[in-house]
Amino acid sequence: MAVNNNNQKNNLEAKNEVNPKKVKQPASKRQVTFDMRTTLKNIDNKVSSIDVKAEYLIKKVPVSVISLHPNNKFSMTGIDSLAKSISEVGMQHNIVLRPFSDPENPEISYQLISGHRRLLATKQNGTNEIMAKIVDLDDIETEKMLLILNLENRDLNNMERSDAVRRLVELVEIQKKAGVSFEGKRTREVVAEMLSNEEKSVSPAQVGQLNRLQDLVEEFKVMVAAGEISREAGYQYAQMPEEAQRMIIQAFHTGKDLTAKDAKKLKDSLAIDFEKQIEIMQETIQQRDTEALELRSIVRKKEEEVQKIQAEAAEARSILSIAQENLRMAQENAQENIARLKNEIEEKVMLEQTEQAKAEIEKLNRNLEKAAKKNDVAIAGAKENYEILKKKNDDLEKALQKKMEIMETDDKNIKVQIKAQQLAVDLIQLSDNSVKITADTDAVLNKLEEVIRKLVGVKLDPPQ
């Protein structure tokens, strides 16, 4: 529910009041808690003067911006006849609103305090605006005004009146806890003054009677609301315990009719029976006290035994704690030894692996040296063979040159020249690959010599 802050100042001032018997309060503060009564009296009268209009800010308000008060739970009857009356003669009393904002409905600007039936009748007539008095009240004062106006202007049954009075009592108690003094008056006196006006006076006893009806069992509440029993009879029943009330309900079910006087007699007789029951209960309590003493003695012995057991348990816990500490230390030592042995094993394994790696490296180094020597020998042989092949190639070129000069115009000489060129290419290739030549060099040279002989018929000296 949204809360108006404009009237919170009055409540804060009321909280700060000191004892009124010691300090004389200003007139505005002494009257702050009873302005409600004056307000309600003025609301019941037809507004006709400029002064009152200025005080209450009377204006036309769109019905679409007015929110109903959630705590107005009384029945809404006679709306049709009221709507007809308003359409014929107009609305005789303005509704009462307070500024209000609803986060769930931003269109709402006011909340209805008084005039729920009039607002519904106006909506039913299709009217879009309604004359309203605008008052600035906080949540508690708003609910109090709503309840009081319903009590004064609505035809409520006794239980509805009791519900309203009980809520007024609760609201006054809330304000008292918040620091509002109400000039030191009792709650029922404050509520009685709220409900009193120029036409009728409500006594604190009547307030207490209506409030007491809330103590009735549900069956009696229904009967009081329906008018089957009077308010006075209900008040007498409400003072009885629940069991006694249900006994009387049973009497009603059997067809016995009880007046308020009968109810009082029955209440008094039941009170005597309850006194006897109380005596029996007191004797029972004394007997239970004796038994309780014996039980306490037994309990005391048991407590001593428990204390002894607790002491033994404490000693056992101490021994267990020491054993646990020793176990923890042993576990820590074992973990340390395991870690040390693990490190030693790892170091030994690493050392063995290092020795093996060294041996393998030495072996590889020896193999590399042997391979390097073999490679050097092969390279040297290849170089030597290359020089031989180069020399023979030079000799061959000379022989070919000589042969070509002789067979320059002969077809055969041409073919020989082509073969010689091909042979030169082969020799160049052999020369490039001479590095790969190993122990088969002599065979290659012999074969080469053979080929040359066939080609040119030149006898070459065998290689040295």
Side-chain angles (χ1 to χ4, degrees):
M1 180 183 294
V3 178
N4 288 302
N5 296 322
N6 294 335
N7 255 11
Q8 296 300 323
K9 183 179 179 181
N10 290 337
N11 289 338
L12 292 174
E13 291 175 350
K15 286 183 182 179
N16 297 325
E17 286 183 349
V18 296
N19 191 339
K21 294 182 180 180
K22 295 181 180 180
V23 180
K24 185 177 180 181
Q25 301 294 325
S28 60
K29 290 188 177 180
R30 292 200 307 271
Q31 295 174 359
V32 66
T33 57
F34 295 97
D35 287 343
M36 175 67 69
R37 184 173 57 190
T38 304
T39 301
L40 294 175
K41 291 177 182 178
N42 291 335
I43 288 175
D44 286 337
N45 299 324
K46 184 176 180 181
V47 179
S48 58
S49 67
I50 301 296
D51 294 337
V52 176
K53 288 183 180 179
E55 181 182 354
Y56 287 105
L57 184 59
I58 298 175
K59 67 175 185 177
K60 281 188 177 182
V61 177
V63 296
S64 60
V65 302
I66 301 174
S67 170
L68 298 181
H69 198 288
N71 290 341
N72 187 17
K73 301 176 182 178
F74 300 104
S75 59
M76 299 292 175
T77 59
I79 302 299
D80 293 339
S81 59
L82 181 58
K84 182 178 179 181
S85 174
I86 291 175
S87 64
E88 292 176 353
V89 299
M91 191 165 61
Q92 301 301 310
H93 298 282
N94 296 326
I95 65 172
V96 181
L97 306 175
R98 71 160 176 164
F100 180 80
S101 60
D102 186 353
E104 297 181 0
N105 190 354
E107 295 182 357
I108 297 300
S109 301
Y110 297 96
Q111 186 179 67
L112 186 63
I113 299 176
S114 173
H116 288 73
R117 293 174 65 251
R118 281 167 281 171
L119 179 62
L120 295 177
T122 299
K123 289 182 178 181
Q124 184 170 311
N125 287 336
T127 306
N128 295 327
E129 293 182 329
I130 188 170
M131 290 298 296
K133 299 175 187 178
I134 311 300
V135 295
D136 194 4
L137 299 175
D138 61 21
D139 290 342
I140 291 180
E141 293 298 334
T142 297
E143 189 174 355
K144 284 165 64 177
M145 177 180 283
L146 174 68
L147 293 168
I148 293 169
L149 290 175
N150 278 311
L151 284 167
E152 291 186 349
N153 300 324
R154 300 284 295 278
D155 186 14
L156 306 178
N157 62 54
N158 284 323
M159 279 313 302
E160 288 177 329
R161 297 179 67 80
S162 173
D163 293 338
V165 168
R166 170 59 67 90
R167 183 56 182 162
L168 282 173
V169 169
E170 292 173 350
L171 293 173
V172 171
E173 290 295 334
I174 291 173
Q175 288 185 310
K176 282 187 174 182
K177 289 179 181 179
V180 181
S181 67
F182 294 102
E183 297 182 354
K185 295 184 178 181
R186 294 184 303 169
T187 300
R188 64 170 59 184
E189 292 175 339
V190 176
V191 174
E193 290 186 4
M194 290 178 179
L195 298 178
S196 299
N197 54 39
E198 295 177 355
E199 298 178 358
K200 66 175 181 179
S201 176
V202 178
S203 66
Q206 290 174 313
V207 172
Q209 192 179 76
L210 285 168
N211 188 39
R212 192 60 182 266
L213 292 180
Q214 296 293 315
D215 296 335
L216 288 171
V217 295
E218 192 61 32
E219 293 90 337
F220 267 140
K221 288 182 179 180
V222 173
M223 296 174 72
V224 172
E228 296 177 8
I229 59 176
S230 66
R231 185 183 69 189
E232 291 76 10
Y235 172 69
Q236 295 296 332
Y237 299 144
Q239 299 178 68
M240 301 178 186
E242 182 177 343
E243 294 181 0
Q245 291 187 44
R246 299 198 178 280
M247 289 172 56
I248 299 173
I249 290 290
Q250 187 63 33
F252 274 104
H253 290 332
T254 58
K256 185 175 181 180
D257 189 15
L258 297 176
T259 64
K261 186 176 181 180
D262 294 334
K264 187 176 185 307
K265 289 181 179 180
L266 180 58
K267 182 195 72 172
D268 294 339
S269 64
L270 288 172
I272 295 173
D273 292 337
F274 279 111
E275 288 178 358
K276 292 180 179 179
Q277 291 180 11
I278 291 172
E279 291 178 359
I280 295 172
M281 291 176 66
Q282 287 176 343
E283 293 176 358
T284 303
I285 290 171
Q286 290 178 354
Q287 183 179 356
R288 296 288 173 84
D289 288 341
T290 303
E291 295 175 354
L293 289 173
E294 295 176 357
L295 289 173
R296 277 196 286 271
S297 176
I298 296 172
V299 169
R300 193 176 299 110
K301 292 180 180 179
K302 295 295 183 183
E303 287 177 347
E304 293 175 356
E305 294 177 1
V306 170
Q307 290 177 354
K308 183 178 179 181
I309 293 172
Q310 288 176 342
E312 294 175 353
E315 184 178 357
R317 281 195 294 270
S318 176
I319 295 172
L320 177 61
S321 177
I322 294 172
Q324 289 175 340
E325 180 64 20
N326 293 335
L327 176 61
R328 184 185 64 78
M329 293 177 64
Q331 288 175 340
E332 290 180 354
N333 292 334
Q335 290 176 352
E336 291 177 358
N337 292 332
I338 290 171
R340 179 176 55 76
L341 290 173
K342 184 177 179 181
N343 291 333
E344 291 177 356
I345 292 171
E346 289 177 351
E347 290 176 357
K348 185 176 180 180
V349 170
M350 290 179 64
L351 182 62
E352 292 177 353
Q353 292 177 348
T354 302
E355 294 297 332
Q356 292 176 357
K358 286 181 178 178
E360 292 292 335
I361 291 171
E362 290 177 357
K363 184 177 179 180
L364 289 173
N365 287 334
R366 288 194 296 271
N367 292 335
L368 287 173
E369 289 176 358
K370 290 180 181 179
K373 289 179 180 179
K374 289 181 179 180
N375 188 45
D376 291 342
V377 171
I379 291 171
K383 286 182 179 180
E384 183 179 352
N385 292 333
Y386 173 76
E387 294 295 333
I388 294 172
L389 288 173
K390 185 177 180 183
K391 183 177 182 303
K392 287 186 177 184
N393 183 50
D394 293 340
D395 294 340
L396 181 58
E397 286 181 354
K398 291 177 180 179
L400 287 174
Q401 182 66 29
K402 185 177 180 181
K403 191 70 175 178
M404 286 174 65
E405 291 174 356
I406 296 172
M407 303 174 67
E408 191 174 12
T409 59
D410 196 300
D411 292 338
K412 186 176 179 180
N413 290 340
I414 296 172
K415 293 180 181 178
V416 170
Q417 185 178 5
I418 293 172
K419 288 182 180 180
Q421 291 176 353
Q422 182 64 43
L423 181 61
V425 172
D426 293 339
L427 288 173
I428 293 171
Q429 290 179 352
L430 288 172
S431 143
D432 292 337
N433 296 327
S434 61
V435 178
K436 300 177 182 179
I437 297 174
T438 57
D440 295 334
T441 305
D442 293 336
V444 173
L445 292 174
N446 292 332
K447 189 169 182 180
L448 180 60
E449 182 180 357
E450 215 175 275
V451 172
I452 295 171
R453 284 199 192 98
K454 289 180 181 180
L455 291 174
V456 298
V458 180
K459 186 174 180 181
L460 299 173
D461 294 331
Q464 298 297 323

